[in-house]
Amino acid sequence: MEKIQHSHVQVQGLKLHVAQIGTGPKVVLFLHGFPEIWYSWRHQMIAVANAGFRAVAFDCRGYGLSDHPPEPEKANFNDLADEVVALLDCLAIDKAFLVGKDFGAMPAFMVAVTHPERVLGVITLGIPFLIPGPLGIQLDLLPKGFYVIRWAEPGRAEADFGRFDVKTVVRNIYILFCRSELQVAGDNEEIMNLVDPSTPLPPWFTEEDLDVYATLYQNSGFRTALQVPYRCMLLDCGITNPKVIAPSLLIMGEKDYVMKFPGMEDYMRKGTVKQFMPNLDIIFMPEGNHFVQEQLPEQVNELILTFLNKNSST
């Protein structure tokens, strides 16, 4: 961990916090989800660097140590996709492998569709091909108390989270998101109430890890994080007839609650997703949950490295 270098890079008028390790000619750019941060990729960054790649992870705008956009309530996924391309430009990276987890998969897909010349390959964890708008998550098929719908409502998550310190909020979300069932609150309860305060952290997520997350989210708060992804995922990103032609890999934990989204399992197992990603391989991890890259890092690292080596031309 101490070998990971940290800097701030000016990208589209915002200072983004960037973590890097490795000096190889091939670059792997990691895109985090929520409630995650660059640190979510710590195990993978070190593994790919040791294998001869250059690993880059950053805090998305409004997350961790990166600047908020001027108007967080107007931020959207197009901003994130543009940010990925602009960051590659700022770091003088011509092409990269994109690795996205959770909502970080969406800008990876968007960049792979709109800027295929910049993408060597795409790996996503926990999310098959989805982009904001009509081809996104069908929220109308989910229970009204589901966390995504609750947090999309302006002010609701702020009031819910505001009852606790940041560390408790992150702790509760990690515990909730480890579960294999959907996180649905009743009419008279909030999402934070779904976690018993006595519930321990998962064994692969230490108090020290929690401290890192809490410190970073203490710095940024949740203002931009609630806007992107939750309050802009239905906004049409303007991409029509999308197709990712780059070699691709989806790593999916079979105990990931995303498997319970209506139609999601069939979308993956029946191969429908390959209409959008014809060069996609899918690997299901029987014990994997939503945080599979932290839960089972050695297995995930092996899958990632196999893909990277296979698709790195000499």
Side-chain angles (χ1 to χ4, degrees):
M1 287 292 293
E2 67 276 2
K3 292 182 180 178
I4 295 176
Q5 302 293 311
H6 296 267
S7 62
H8 276 86
V9 178
Q10 194 81 13
V11 179
Q12 297 181 312
L14 302 179
K15 284 192 300 182
L16 299 185
H17 169 239
V18 179
Q20 301 187 67
I21 185 171
T23 57
K26 293 292 195 309
V27 178
V28 185
L29 179 64
F30 294 93
L31 308 170
H32 68 77
F34 179 87
E36 296 169 300
I37 213 74
W38 78 267
Y39 183 80
S40 309
W41 296 111
R42 59 199 179 280
H43 304 300
Q44 288 68 46
M45 292 180 72
I46 292 169
V48 302
N50 287 341
F53 295 86
R54 176 183 174 191
V56 181
F58 69 105
D59 296 342
C60 291
R61 57 178 57 201
Y63 281 76
L65 300 179
S66 291
D67 285 349
H68 285 274
E71 297 180 277
E73 286 73 24
K74 293 184 179 179
N76 58 58
F77 277 101
N78 290 74
D79 296 335
L80 260 61
D82 292 345
E83 184 170 84
V84 169
V85 176
L87 178 61
L88 292 176
D89 290 341
C90 289
L91 297 177
I93 297 168
D94 182 38
K95 297 181 178 183
F97 290 99
L98 302 181
V99 184
K101 156 80 197 322
D102 188 67
F103 83 77
M106 291 195 185
F109 294 139
M110 293 167 70
V111 172
V113 170
T114 59
H115 294 84
E117 75 283 356
R118 307 300 298 271
V119 179
L120 292 168
V122 178
I123 303 174
T124 62
L125 291 78
I127 299 286
F129 184 86
L130 293 170
I131 55 175
L135 292 175
I137 297 169
Q138 303 300 301
L139 295 181
D140 56 323
L141 300 178
L142 288 156
K144 65 178 182 177
F146 185 48
Y147 82 92
V148 173
I149 296 172
R150 286 289 183 88
W151 293 352
E153 182 183 331
R156 185 137 194 181
E158 289 87 340
D160 187 11
F161 294 0
R163 299 176 295 151
F164 307 94
D165 60 30
V166 169
K167 185 173 182 178
T168 301
V169 172
V170 175
R171 179 191 188 98
N172 286 352
I173 296 171
Y174 251 80
I175 290 170
L176 267 182
F177 284 13
C178 284
R179 298 175 181 172
S180 59
E181 65 270 14
L182 297 179
Q183 306 83 354
V184 181
D187 290 344
N188 298 313
E189 64 179 349
E190 299 299 327
I191 299 299
M192 289 292 105
N193 298 121
L194 298 177
V195 180
D196 185 320
S198 66
T199 306
L201 287 170
W204 44 264
F205 192 74
T206 68
E207 288 289 344
E208 290 75 21
D209 293 331
L210 179 60
D211 285 341
V212 173
Y213 279 84
T215 300
L216 291 167
Y217 274 95
Q218 187 74 50
N219 182 73
S220 64
F222 296 101
R223 186 178 176 189
T224 302
L226 288 167
Q227 174 64 22
V228 183
Y230 300 106
R231 295 173 186 167
C232 68
M233 64 173 58
L234 296 182
L235 186 67
D236 194 334
C237 64
I239 296 174
T240 55
N241 301 316
K243 187 158 287 190
V244 174
I245 58 173
S248 306
L249 174 66
L250 168 61
I251 299 172
M252 197 75 204
E254 292 191 346
K255 294 185 178 179
D256 188 332
Y257 67 87
V258 173
M259 295 281 284
K260 300 282 178 61
F261 282 33
M264 187 66 79
E265 187 162 6
D266 279 352
Y267 179 57
M268 294 181 283
R269 292 200 190 273
K270 292 185 177 179
T272 312
V273 63
K274 294 189 180 184
Q275 294 176 11
F276 305 105
M277 304 183 77
N279 299 310
L280 175 69
D281 289 327
I282 304 176
I283 296 176
F284 291 96
M285 300 182 68
E287 296 303 314
N289 66 28
H290 192 61
F291 300 105
V292 69
Q293 88 281 13
E294 295 180 277
Q295 174 202 13
L296 302 168
E298 292 181 2
Q299 294 177 45
V300 169
N301 292 349
E302 184 177 347
L303 295 173
I304 289 175
L305 287 171
T306 299
F307 176 88
L308 295 178
N309 289 324
K310 176 183 174 183
N311 293 289
S312 294
S313 57
T314 54

